[in-house]
Amino acid sequence: MTRELTHYVGGAHVDGTSGRFADVYNPSIGEVQARLPLASGDEVRRAITVAETAQVQWGTTNPQRRARILNKFVELVYANMDELAALLTSEHGKTFPDAKGDIQRGLEVIEFCVAAPHLLKGEFSDSAGSDIDVHSMRQPLGVVAGITPFNFPAMIPLWKAGPAIASGNAFILKPSERDPSVPLRLAELFTEAGLPDGIFNVINGDKEAVDVLLEDPRVKAIGFVGSTPIAQSIYATAAANGKRAQCFGGAKNHMVIMPDADLDMVADALMGAGYGSAGERCMAISVAIPVGEKTADALVAKLVERIATLRVGDGMDETSDFGPVVAQSAKERIEDYVQIGVDEGASLVVDGRGLTVPGHENGFWVGPTLFDNVTETMRIYKEEIFGPVLCIIRAKDYEEALRLPSEHEFGNGVSIFTRDGDTARNFSSRVQVGMVGINVPIPVPIAYYTFGGWKASGFGDLNQHGADGFRFYTKTKTVTTRWPSGIREGASFIMPEGS
Ligand code: NAD
């Protein structure tokens, strides 16, 4: 039977009243398993009112007490990990261990946010003027919103909610319509952990809901993650409405393979980084750049060998390496790109189209796909495919391999495999990409560092989580103090100097 989902506002589930719904699929069997209400403008405005009221007390709650609630939340999520991961797999399609990783990475940011009492400390200067001291403080913004993509339905909402809540804001999450059940369960667990009602809210919806979050002056900041055209337009609208915004977009991540690299290590790395989670990761490697023909020929042979052993299947089947893609429309888009690559003249070495999985004939399957001899002008190189499709561009030398990711429109992640420290150092210093890996498949997010791409992969000037998360969700106030000390200088009409 199809489940009917809700919103979560003020510490409780709230039925949708707009009369508009979206279908939530199980991508492994291609069937609708839930109906999701899409919020009207009035429903969003009501949630903002609830959040605004709740924030007043939360914003002045001692940060250590706020942190204790986050600690309890982490405990509860661990205790419910298997149930959450299975729910995530059923709507997203990624494998059960991968779903656990999605939740775990989100929790790591919450664990970092438990350090809020330290991270929110201001600065103090003694005697900035005669008998004058100056200090700064970080204060919450008020009501803030997060708009998140389908591909990490636990991790990315927690990246946004953690620093927002720990800093004393009330948070409204607008998760993806494709896999909203885990965010709703996380909302229940926040309440169970003792978070006051109205501090973590989930509004399900589409553009109509997002437009209200962007327009309502009570929402002070927008954190977005998703595709580049939407990221760019949300950033522009939020800025035009005087809001703080950080909007992260799409990617085309390259891996450079130098002739001295260990090619077995590289081929293993490319299996996970290229095809894990069906390539639906913003940090997936979608372009491999072997340097020199000899490197390229040897690498392609090793990739073909390994691809033949990959198993695509239901996410709960422990023998599956990766699961279905999220939607029928995603499957069609990816298969269209494969045809575009063929038409553009790339060599299709492994074709993942037309895959069926016995017992799951209606699932949204795309098998691992490999293109060789891709060139810079092809659409399959320039555009984000967001599926299990790996393109090989053969570079003649290091400088060409460095130029390709540096000049690409996107600048999220990149990696290089080499045994030479000099080359690695030169690469990490010169490449025009936000996150760099050296002999690792891709730099994964680390909670206590920041995460964010360059160029068309990120709009705004602060990254996600790490110290930037706290900067984004707080405003700084500077206080200048002098206590009467008996000195009387009389009125002065000139600008006082620092000295
Ligand atoms: P998407 O852009 O379709 O949707 C993201 C969010 O925006 C969803 O909540 C969706 O409901 C909302 N949305 C969609 N259209 C909208 C519109 N016209 N107006 C307002 N809101 C709208 O992205 P997706 O398909 O869910 O996610 C995949 C994309 O996310 C890929 O491009 C991927 O690279 C990117 N991504 C980037 C990062 C990063 O850190 N840079 C991380 C994860 C995913």
Side-chain angles (χ1 to χ4, degrees), residues 53-70 116-118 120 138-140 164-170 194-197 199 470 474:
T53 307
Q55 193 273 333
V56 175
Q57 200 173 357
W58 182 245
T60 53
T61 298
N62 157 354
Q64 197 148 21
R65 286 189 59 194
R66 296 198 296 245
R68 262 182 225 130
I69 293 171
L70 294 184
H118 176 69
L120 291 171
R138 293 195 166 277
Q139 295 190 319
I165 290 174
S167 316
N169 300 283
L195 190 70
D197 297 346
I199 298 302
F470 281 82
T474 52

Side-chain angles (χ1 to χ4, degrees), residues 310-369:
L310 288 183
R311 278 191 55 117
V312 186
D314 183 73
M316 296 306 286
D317 177 345
E318 37 185 66
T319 65
S320 301
D321 292 308
F322 66 87
V325 297
V326 73
Q328 178 63 25
S329 57
K331 173 182 159 76
E332 286 165 12
R333 192 198 64 242
I334 296 161
E335 293 191 338
D336 285 350
Y337 268 113
V338 177
Q339 190 53 46
I340 288 168
V342 171
D343 296 342
E344 286 178 316
S347 318
L348 183 57
V349 183
V350 182
D351 186 354
R353 291 175 295 181
L355 176 76
T356 51
V357 171
H360 294 75
E361 284 74 10
N362 296 325
F364 309 138
W365 306 107
V366 183
T369 299

Side-chain angles (χ1 to χ4, degrees), residues 147-152 156 159 174-178 205-207 210-211 224-228 230 234 248-251 281-282 384 386 412 451 453 457 464:
I147 300 153
T148 55
F150 81 85
N151 67 327
F152 283 102
I156 296 180
W159 280 4
K174 206 305 284 171
S176 168
E177 306 91 302
R178 298 206 190 281
D206 53 9
K207 185 174 187 308
V210 173
D211 284 346
F224 173 90
V225 180
S227 56
T228 289
I230 312 289
I234 287 186
F248 298 92
R281 290 182 181 140
C282 63
E384 182 181 44
F386 219 56
N412 215 35
F451 183 94
S457 297
Q464 308 184 86

Side-chain angles (χ1 to χ4, degrees), residues 34 38 62 123 184 192 203 218 254-255 270 281 304 306 319 348 357 399 401 425-427 430 451-452 472:
L38 301 175
N62 157 354
E123 295 171 312
L184 286 167
E192 204 179 321
I203 276 291
R218 294 172 297 169
H254 301 58
M255 180 191 287
L270 279 171
R281 290 182 181 140
V304 170
R306 282 167 173 77
T319 65
L348 183 57
V357 171
E399 287 299 326
R425 189 176 182 285
N426 183 288
F427 184 79
R430 289 170 64 200
F451 183 94
F472 182 72

Side-chain angles (χ1 to χ4, degrees), residues 473-497:
Y473 288 112
T474 52
K475 53 193 175 194
T476 309
K477 187 180 274 176
T478 310
V479 181
T480 304
T481 309
R482 175 162 68 185
W483 293 102
S485 59
I487 302 166
R488 289 273 180 279
E489 289 167 350
S492 171
F493 299 95
I494 55 162
M495 182 75 179
E497 288 174 39

